[in-house]
Amino acid sequence: MKAWQTALGFNPSRHSVKTEFIAGLTTFLTMSYILAVNPDILSAAGMDKGAVFTATALSSAVATLLIAFMAKLPFAQAPSMGINAFFAFTLVQGMGYSWETALAAVFVEGIVFILLTAFNIREKIVDCIPYNLRYAISAGIGMFIAFIGLKNAGIIVAHPATLVALGPFTPLFLIAIIGIILSAVLVVRKVKGALFYSIAICTLIGVPLGVSNIPDSFSPVSMPQSLSPTFLKMDFAPLLSFDMAMTIFALVFMDIFNTIGTLIGAAAKTEMMDEKGNVKNIKQAMMADAIGTSLGAILGTSTVTTYVESGSGIAEGGRTGMTALVTGCFFLLALFFSPLFLLVPGAATTGALVMVGVFMLSSISMIDLSDLSEAFPVFVTLLTMVLTYSIAEGMALGMLAFVFVKLLSGQLRDVSMPLYILTVLFILRYIFA
């Protein structure tokens, strides 16, 4: 094999360049919404929108390339949805800190990640997750991904009486439904690149429906916005307080379990996971995540993490770092062709997200539901991951349920010491959050 193929874990006898390329492009398309959403959210904290766009694209590209070469896995990274809202609406607007201080907290969080990874503490956290919960995490992430797609397309909307409800019939709704049906049909017919074609077709259909908006002065090429308003704009002085210590603690746990949950969930039932439920090269993947977080703070964006949308590329057959390399390169291209890439509306990716959910839900068949002490924590994980809109919360609550049920039913040997320690930390986090 050529040196670059070895560096990416690509074997010509087992992998296809075309498949890996389509997988990488599909991953990019399903998560490209972050290039529009993240600047909008962080601008609410007073940050320059153009600089945040550049920081988002650049940090996503570099962090994804790190995964490609360090871990040789088909995962992509970008600023975390959820944590960016925590950054803007809790840290800045709610607690009154400046965005410069919030960036400093993210930077320190990344350094903590690096240390935890270097000393194998994060791997031990993974090792202590019970097998049934690992498969539950996979299924839960699948449901979560599908819910994201349905929500973004307006198929599921907020309701004052019932919290959620079926949304009104709109062009977005129509495009999403077409995408869901088209994705399912293409997958059933075993069309290679089904999810990518679904996204592309729905984007084109969205033009006459006014969903894919083309501005009058549209130009597909533009120079990247300057990073100067956010680059190295970190204020460390306010971090020396108990509130900020607990904030960094919360950031650490949110990112740890988002990353671990995504890696375990998306790798399940592929050759990337062994018979014991361990993801290969997970330490290198988590180190890439840690470095990406600190780099993102330096550039001017919130916590960078591994994206659940990586599952769309894996579903297309992506298995090596080449998939991540392709995705990372498209993020770099987005710096210069952002108007063109942002034509893809969120509704056009709904079909792909729903199908990924279907694929990942199949891991439920691996779960032993005959033992209620195992089935109950699995149910808690699945339910709360969707209802709290958080992979991290679903994992945490599922593990808490596992420990308490096992402990109070006299099955102490089923709970490892690290899991007891995690339980105490979870409880402290909920008390002081």
Side-chain angles (χ1 to χ4, degrees), residues 307-319:
Y307 255 57
V308 294
E309 284 85 353
S310 301
S312 63
I314 292 171
E316 286 294 343
R319 292 294 183 271

Side-chain angles (χ1 to χ4, degrees), residues 47-386:
M47 300 180 70
D48 181 84
K49 197 170 183 179
V52 173
F53 175 86
T54 300
T56 300
L58 196 54
S59 63
S60 301
V62 174
T64 301
L65 292 174
L66 285 174
I67 276 207
F69 289 100
M70 291 176 64
K72 302 176 176 58
L73 292 172
F75 291 89
Q77 299 194 88
S80 170
M81 285 297 296
I83 298 182
N84 55 5
F86 178 82
F87 180 106
F89 303 119
T90 300
L91 282 182
V92 178
Q93 293 188 4
M95 299 174 68
Y97 289 103
S98 67
W99 60 263
E100 292 90 343
T101 298
L103 281 180
V106 172
F107 177 79
V108 172
E109 170 208 352
I111 299 301
V112 172
F113 288 171
I114 292 173
L115 294 174
L116 291 177
T117 303
F119 289 100
N120 296 325
I121 297 175
R122 294 178 81 176
E123 284 184 300
K124 294 190 181 302
I125 292 174
V126 176
D127 290 340
C128 77
I129 300 175
Y131 293 145
N132 281 331
L133 281 186
R134 296 187 191 192
Y135 292 117
I137 289 167
S138 176
I141 291 175
M143 296 172 66
F144 181 72
I145 291 173
F147 184 69
I148 289 174
L150 297 174
K151 171 183 170 294
N152 289 345
I155 295 177
I156 298 297
V157 297
H159 191 280
T162 60
L163 294 182
V164 293
L166 187 67
F169 189 82
T170 64
L172 280 177
F173 191 114
L174 177 61
I175 290 295
I177 292 298
I178 291 174
I180 293 171
I181 296 173
L182 183 60
S183 295
V185 171
L186 292 177
V187 169
V188 169
R189 296 180 68 88
K190 302 186 185 304
V191 175
K192 204 64 177 176
L195 302 186
F196 164 70
Y197 292 130
S198 170
I199 292 170
I201 291 170
C202 286
T203 300
L204 292 175
I205 295 175
V207 174
L209 292 178
V211 175
S212 303
N213 296 315
I214 303 178
D216 293 336
S217 58
F218 175 75
S219 173
V221 181
S222 66
M223 291 301 294
Q225 297 289 318
S226 172
L227 274 174
S228 59
T230 59
F231 183 68
L232 285 175
K233 296 294 193 297
M234 294 177 285
D235 181 8
F236 291 93
L239 298 188
L240 300 176
S241 68
F242 179 76
D243 281 349
M244 285 307 297
M246 293 309 301
T247 294
I248 293 172
F249 179 81
L251 284 170
V252 167
F253 271 82
M254 280 191 284
D255 195 17
I256 271 184
F257 286 100
N258 273 329
T259 302
I260 291 175
T262 299
L263 290 172
I264 292 175
K269 298 191 69 178
T270 72
E271 64 269 27
M272 293 182 288
M273 178 179 282
D274 62 26
E275 64 279 0
K276 294 182 178 179
N278 299 312
V279 181
K280 71 175 185 178
N281 298 338
I282 191 169
K283 179 176 180 178
Q284 293 88 335
M286 291 191 292
M287 182 61 81
D289 174 270
I291 296 171
T293 290
S294 292
L295 175 65
I298 290 172
L299 296 174
T301 186
S302 53
T303 300
V304 173
T305 191
T306 308
Y307 255 57
V308 294
E309 284 85 353
S310 301
S312 63
I314 292 171
E316 286 294 343
R319 292 294 183 271
T320 75
M322 187 179 292
T323 293
L325 173 64
V326 172
T327 304
C329 288
F330 273 109
F331 272 115
L332 288 176
L333 283 173
L335 287 167
F336 302 95
F337 297 91
S338 56
L340 180 63
F341 288 121
L342 291 177
L343 283 179
V344 178
T349 68
T350 301
L353 296 177
V354 169
M355 286 310 301
V356 169
V358 173
F359 299 148
M360 297 179 70
L361 187 64
S362 63
S363 65
I364 277 187
S365 64
M366 307 294 291
I367 299 173
D368 178 14
L369 298 176
S370 62
D371 182 349
L372 188 59
S373 68
E374 298 281 342
F376 177 72
V378 165
F379 178 76
V380 170
T381 302
L382 295 172
L383 186 67
T384 58
M385 195 174 288
V386 176

